Amino acid sequence: MSRNARFGWVFGLVLSVFTITGHAGRAEAAPLKIGYSDWPGWVAWQVAIDKGWLKEAGVDAEFQWFDYSASMDAFSAGKIDADLVTNGDALVMGGGGTKSVMIMLTDYSNGNDMIVGKPGIKSLKDLKGKKVGIEIGLVEHLLLLDGLKKEGMSESDVTLVNTTTNSTPQVLASGDVSAIGAWQPNSGMAMKLVPGAKPIYTSAQEPGLIYDVLVVNPTSLAAHRAEWVKLMKVWNKVVAYINDPKTQPDALKIMSARVGLTAAQYKPLLKGTKLLSLEDGKKTFVKADGFSSLYGSSYIADDFNVKNAVYKVKQPVDSYIDPSLTDEALK
């Protein structure tokens, strides 16, 4: 399950000596290198960067900006110590040979991922026997299946048209499909192109379907655990600053500037993302089935990935999750 890239990853042709020994390209005195990209729960870190909170906390960290799939390529090639990805994508990288550990959650998608129906399509039931443009094997595919199941339907009740997420607005406008699956800003663009189009199912209706997490190279985690815990403590300050009505305007200004939007344009995207404090994240680290648990959500993602041939062998999900750092950061 991938937010922005499909099967397999681009690996570097030559890895440094530090990478080969498991140091993810990190020299002994070098800062922690973290990849981040254009998703509100990850752009949120820009607040800490611009405010100087990382340095205040004694954290030597360097956040590197990437297109999403490029950040995973960099992590897989050992060029960065950590990356911000979906829980499903952590498993996809693992299926491709790059192991990681999810040490904290930043958020879950709370409406930014959606199935958008053309005018006249009022619910998922209206899609029976119709075409849906969706990128097969990506998270919107899983979102659609979840919604259909709730309506007593299955994938066989619709015809999937494999469509790259970036082209879903144009495909909906063409009239060739009755609905599309996309995340913001593509979903919003689709509704602008097709007046009367509207969301008929969103990630807000299944909290925890898409968790966003910080994943770390296992060797970096073992060698620099105390530094990672310090960095995690800064996250609570970020969440509080963004959620506080008094400081949110400044946070929106910082976040929107990072991605070239105005604060007014960015605010709806923030609303579609449920930021999770460390206390909130701790609740999801309990082992359980279902989407309220990071474990349960990841089990579902793993099943989906194998069924859709994203990778062949089921992953040992529990080994990808370490709740102990959140416990430590909360002390």
Side-chain angles (χ1 to χ4, degrees), residues 162-319:
N162 196 21
T163 306
T164 59
T165 302
N166 289 343
S167 65
T168 50
Q170 293 76 21
V171 170
L172 186 66
S174 74
D176 291 339
V177 300
S178 296
I180 56 96
W183 55 83
Q184 291 280 24
N186 297 292
S187 51
M189 189 182 300
M191 288 183 278
K192 286 183 179 179
L193 281 178
V194 184
K198 66 177 185 179
I200 56 175
Y201 193 70
T202 80
S203 53
Q205 292 165 264
E206 192 61 87
L209 178 81
I210 310 165
Y211 283 112
D212 294 306
V213 296
L214 176 65
V215 297
V216 180
N217 171 281
T219 305
S220 175
L221 179 58
H224 307 284
R225 181 185 179 93
E227 292 175 74
W228 289 112
V229 171
K230 283 182 182 179
L231 181 135
M232 291 169 61
K233 289 181 177 181
V234 175
W235 178 247
N236 265 5
K237 192 172 183 178
V238 170
V239 173
Y241 196 80
I242 293 172
N243 287 340
D244 187 336
K246 294 180 181 178
T247 51
Q248 188 178 86
D250 185 49
L252 285 170
K253 182 180 179 181
I254 292 170
M255 295 170 69
S256 61
R258 170 67 270 190
V259 298
L261 296 175
T262 66
Q265 290 171 323
Y266 201 80
K267 190 170 183 178
L269 305 185
L270 182 60
K271 289 181 178 179
T273 308
K274 174 61 177 176
L275 296 177
L276 299 173
S277 66
L278 293 180
E279 291 84 357
D280 295 329
K282 181 179 172 66
K283 296 173 184 176
T284 74
F285 274 120
V286 176
K287 285 188 181 182
D289 293 328
F291 292 116
S292 63
S293 163
L294 177 60
Y295 290 89
S297 176
S298 299
Y299 297 148
I300 293 168
D302 186 46
D303 288 340
F304 173 83
N305 289 338
V306 172
K307 181 178 179 180
N308 288 279
V310 179
Y311 48 77
K312 295 180 180 180
V313 181
K314 286 178 68 64
Q315 295 298 296
V317 170
D318 289 7
S319 70

Side-chain angles (χ1 to χ4, degrees), residues 14-75:
V14 181
L15 302 183
S16 70
V17 172
F18 286 106
T19 301
I20 295 171
T21 58
H23 284 272
R26 186 180 188 280
E28 188 64 28
L32 301 174
K33 295 180 180 179
I34 303 156
Y36 72 133
S37 51
D38 190 359
W39 175 256
W42 306 333
V43 177
W45 282 105
Q46 195 67 43
V47 175
I49 296 167
D50 285 15
K51 293 291 183 183
W53 292 343
L54 294 166
K55 290 183 179 179
E56 286 179 11
V59 179
D60 188 10
E62 177 186 304
F63 279 76
Q64 297 183 8
W65 184 256
F66 292 92
D67 287 336
Y68 182 55
S69 59
S71 77
M72 291 184 286
D73 293 341
F75 183 76

